[in-house]
């Protein structure tokens, strides 16, 4: 597609529920990244895929967070047993391999846990 | 630890004045450096990047940045700002060709008439 698409744009969920956030990267971009941005903060790295495999998942805060990219294109970030502290904007980005030409970011999914 | 420090959380400036937004990074063998801009209610947009070569990098909207290896800095400058430059600016670094961008905390630039 023309840009990185994230759905939904907004998600409100109750504490303890499970959520899935979807990212559709730019066609041909082999690398895909998930970030979390809290109010007034810079984006915080979560996980990075090269193709289908997670090249670096060191930013996932705990085992409630999981991400997949089964066919090397669309990715889903999954959060189990959501907590109020998970409320943030979740950003997805894609790039050619290595990211040195810069990432293209999506508009994000604003997750609110009530 | 690999980190990025943006020294000013907020920078107020009058229209047509020059501005410098400061960024320092952790010393490393190899770094790729970026500045991103985030306008209100919009996504992150790449302003400019340094990969190698000339240490002075020019980007979009009249911005430029200078890579200073000895001071581990990558400050962003613009000689004359406009109201439309009001936004959040993020410095970011890829360390040792590791692929992932590490962001600073951001600097809110507020341009006043």
């Amino acid at each position: 597609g023309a840009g990185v698409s994230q759905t939904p744009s907004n998600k409100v969920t109750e504490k303890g529920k499970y959520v899935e956030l979807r990212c559709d990267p730019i066609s041909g971009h082999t690398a895909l990244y998930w970030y979390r941005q809290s109010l007034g903060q810079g984006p915080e790295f979560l996980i990075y895929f090269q193709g289908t495999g997670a090249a670096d998942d060191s930013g996932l805060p705990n085992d409630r967070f999981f991400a997949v990219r089964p066919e090397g294109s669309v990715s889903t970030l999954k959060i189990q047993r959501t907590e109020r502290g998970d409320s943030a904007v979740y950003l997805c980005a894609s790039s050619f391999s290595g990211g040195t030409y810069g990432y293209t970011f999506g508009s994000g999914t604003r997750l609110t846990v009530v | 630890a690999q980190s990025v420090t943006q020294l000013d959380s907020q920078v107020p400036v009058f229209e047509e004045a020059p501005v410098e937004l400061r960024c320092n990074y952790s010393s490393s063998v190899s770094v790729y450096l970026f500045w991103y801009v985030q306008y209100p209610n919009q996504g992150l947009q790449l302003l400019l990047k340094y990969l190698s070569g000339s240490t002075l990098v020019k980007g979009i909207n009249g911005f430029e940045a200078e890579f200073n290896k000895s001071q581990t800095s990558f400050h962003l400058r613009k000689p004359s700002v406009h109201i439309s430059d009001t936004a959040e600016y993020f410095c970011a670094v890829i360390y040792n060709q590791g692929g992932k961008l590490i962001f600073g905390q951001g600097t809110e630039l507020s341009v006043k008439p």
Side-chain angles (χ1 to χ4, degrees):
Chain A
V4 177
S5 175
Q6 291 188 247
T7 54
S9 55
N10 278 285
K11 176 72 176 177
V12 180
T13 191
E14 292 181 347
K15 179 175 176 295
K17 298 289 189 183
Y18 168 82
V19 295
E20 289 189 351
L21 312 180
R22 176 188 167 104
C23 173
D24 201 338
I26 290 174
S27 178
H29 279 185
T30 56
L32 184 146
Y33 312 82
W34 283 100
Y35 283 79
R36 177 169 69 175
Q37 187 175 20
S38 301
L39 196 62
Q41 303 293 316
E44 174 193 13
F45 171 77
L46 296 176
I47 186 170
Y48 150 44
F49 287 92
Q50 187 64 250
T52 60
D56 184 343
D57 64 357
S58 61
L60 294 177
N62 51 60
D63 61 6
R64 295 187 298 106
F65 288 75
F66 190 70
V68 295
R69 195 185 185 200
E71 297 178 359
S73 178
V74 171
S75 176
T76 305
L77 178 66
K78 308 180 181 194
I79 310 174
Q80 298 178 319
R81 304 183 304 281
T82 52
E83 299 177 357
R84 292 198 178 87
D86 298 334
S87 296
V89 176
Y90 288 81
L91 298 169
C92 176
S94 68
S95 74
F96 293 110
S97 180
T100 54
Y101 292 94
Y103 299 0
T104 301
F105 280 87
S107 297
T109 293
R110 182 175 299 278
L111 176 66
T112 304
V113 182
V114 298
Chain B
Q2 297 169 341
S3 64
V4 181
T5 303
Q6 291 183 242
L7 296 163
D8 307 294
S9 59
Q10 293 181 319
V11 173
V13 64
F14 287 107
E15 193 174 19
E16 297 183 8
V19 71
E20 179 180 82
L21 307 183
R22 297 181 291 169
C23 173
N24 285 89
Y25 61 91
S26 307
S27 181
S28 182
V29 172
S30 163
V31 290
Y32 299 130
L33 301 156
F34 304 80
W35 276 97
Y36 280 82
V37 60
Q38 190 172 36
Y39 297 104
N41 299 315
Q42 293 189 29
L44 287 158
Q45 179 182 356
L46 180 65
L47 263 183
L48 50 77
K49 61 180 181 284
Y50 171 80
L51 304 182
S52 65
S54 173
T55 57
L56 183 63
V57 179
K58 294 190 183 297
I60 61 172
N61 301 339
F63 283 93
E64 64 182 31
E66 186 158 18
F67 169 55
N68 187 320
K69 188 173 182 178
S70 63
Q71 297 187 6
T72 61
S73 69
F74 190 56
H75 300 332
L76 181 70
R77 302 185 183 101
K78 186 170 183 177
S80 176
V81 294
H82 304 290
I83 298 285
S84 59
D85 292 323
T86 294
E88 189 88 17
Y89 291 80
F90 293 97
C91 181
V93 182
I94 294 177
Y95 287 95
N96 302 324
Q97 303 174 21
K100 70 184 184 190
L101 268 176
I102 297 174
F103 282 85
Q105 294 292 86
T107 297
E108 183 184 345
L109 176 64
S110 177
V111 182
K112 305 176 187 305

